[in-house]
Amino acid sequence: MNVPAYAAPAAGEPLAPTVIERRAVGPNDVLIEVTHAGICHSDIHTVNGDWGPQPFPVVPGHEIVGVVAEVGPAVTRHQVGDRVGVGCMVNSCGECANCLRGDEQYCLDGMVPTYAGTDRDGTTTQGGYSTHVVVDADYVLRVPDGIDSAAAAPLLCAGITTYAPLRRWGAGPGKRVAVVGLGGLGHMAVKIAAAMGAEVTVLSQSLKKQEDGLRLGAQHYHATSDPDTFSQLAGRFDLIVNTVSAAIDVDAYLSLLAVDGTLVNVGAPPEQLSLDVFSLIGARRSFAGSMIGGIALTQEMLDFCAEHGIGAEVEVIAADRINDAYERVLASDVRYRFVIDTATLG
Amino acid sequence: MNVPAYAAPAAGEPLAPTVIERRAVGPNDVLIEVTHAGICHSDIHTVNGDWGPQPFPVVPGHEIVGVVAEVGPAVTRHQVGDRVGVGCMVNSCGECANCLRGDEQYCLDGMVPTYAGTDRDGTTTQGGYSTHVVVDADYVLRVPDGIDSAAAAPLLCAGITTYAPLRRWGAGPGKRVAVVGLGGLGHMAVKIAAAMGAEVTVLSQSLKKQEDGLRLGAQHYHATSDPDTFSQLAGRFDLIVNTVSAAIDVDAYLSLLAVDGTLVNVGAPPEQLSLDVFSLIGARRSFAGSMIGGIALTQEMLDFCAEHGIGAEVEVIAADRINDAYERVLASDVRYRFVIDTATLG
């Protein structure tokens, strides 16, 4: 099946319309007619070659929402007409300790990324900037009623990336959670942490987005460019979710944690980070990292978001604006996620 | 009350016999006739001035076991004749969030160290290398029957320092725990983790102490000087307790952790340590630190050790051997803790 798509022909080149082939629907496959695809910063890193050589042409997109158009005979979880989503992975071994525990993203055999990855049958995966995608049913999520499809798309990456650490480290009533950075990931972290019942503080470089932060559910907002922030908030937080992929002063952020507090990075800066171990020992603190989340947890996150009326704040664009949108993402000029209306691809 | 003691007269000078004054027994005080005092590496760092200027003369010793000789009228927890212990702290504010939660070691007003500290009445604390000590009853532990006093002394620092992270990060049946370094702290970590039911592996520079490690309760023993160790054991452990205060290759040790695993440092090297955040993100790992433990947890540890027949492996020495013992500790020539028989001080 040949379908319209937008692809990067080579590293650093603008994306352009193309046609790609989707495999025939296998016994456990779902054919999805894509309606929306979010633009994640990872898409840009990948097509720009920041993360090494890629199997060009690359069709990015791992924040996919659409409608089931066909299912294989073995599929029981999804039916034609269902609204569904696909996130950052489309396969894994299913048999290792991590997969069996529901941490498919940490599959010991390597999970299969939604695009620019090698699927278990040897083919190269192509992402959601296309009208259709064929995905193993076990990696397809149900999008519950009550979330708009455009607002749901970014949940498949930005949502689960922030939900997973908030859940793992117990964000909830009586917990003080700080979110570092108010971008695509950060704005989801604020909404989700607030819905979990935590007291949420945004730590952003400036106060430029303060109004937004408070509207999204934060109770406090501080500028990290103001050195007083770090003395004022010393020892305050149970959990800090750092959504910024640039290098940070780890000791400064650790100093904001109470006893048993955790600083979790959801992005990895290219540089090594250094810290004074006493920042950890001095209050039994932890410095941790988290990467997306397993399939069951992603479903839980979608259900949680529907229940709490949470979606991403999005700017829906036509496919021919993708390259402009990339420029604007790089300039941090988006509040807070671009989502492609894939009807404009055809 | 004037009592015999051993003190360092100045930074880097040998310890020598002296006489110090102990305060009169206050309403909530306990006068302890010290029988044993362990020699901790911290004692040596302190008297050598490695940790900055000290209020010399300094009487070290924060692994104290003795017998109650007198109690103040308000004391209900201890009676004359009881066998008791004192660890690394002898006071704290008792009112801050950390004290109220039982984490007196993280007192927001600053806990009072057993020696070379300033007590809440403004006096300088003096440690356990002396025949008697007067301590607030709330900071005095019960030493249960069934642990030899000499073997109990090191539990008050080395024991709780390793028990606390093993307990906090869930060492127990079905958990794989690695202990880095088989010295005073490490040998306690091995015994305690094994008694908790964990599968214990020692990671030591060489295989020199392998026989000891296995006898103390480890099931596996690997040399970290052998690069194969790191590939063989990749992703294996749920918890690594690092008892070595020198700088380590954090990424290499993190790579030995399974998903959700934690590397805990109980010592702080003087250098900043650096790491690749992907080492954390790639398996939702944590790098943490822990410092001794609260009073209630220290009592729990002593009770646990008594129940499981655990004491430190000690070499009991007379007071006039303290300076030689310091040399031998610095040369790692002790299996595994020196304990001073304080009867030899008088």
Side-chain angles (χ1 to χ4, degrees), chain A residues 106 168 273 275 281 287, chain B residues 106 168 260 273 275 281 287:
Chain A
Y106 295 132
R168 163 76 174 78
L273 295 189
L275 58 86
I281 289 173
F287 181 32
Chain B
Y106 295 132
R168 162 77 173 77
D260 284 326
L273 296 189
L275 59 86
I281 289 173
F287 181 33

Side-chain angles (χ1 to χ4, degrees), chain A residues 1-77:
Chain A
M1 176 181 186
N2 289 318
V3 304
Y6 248 69
E13 284 190 27
L15 277 71
T18 186
V19 169
I20 58 169
E21 198 188 335
R22 293 298 186 187
R23 70 171 179 255
V25 174
N28 200 46
D29 278 344
V30 175
L31 170 67
I32 301 166
E33 190 182 338
V34 179
T35 60
H36 296 87
I39 293 180
C40 175
H41 210 128
S42 308
D43 300 351
I44 305 176
H45 280 303
T46 304
V47 303
N48 280 351
D50 298 343
W51 291 346
Q54 303 294 334
F56 290 101
V58 167
V59 177
H62 59 206
E63 296 184 336
I64 306 171
V65 168
V67 175
V68 175
E70 188 183 339
V71 298
V75 175
T76 55
R77 297 165 64 169

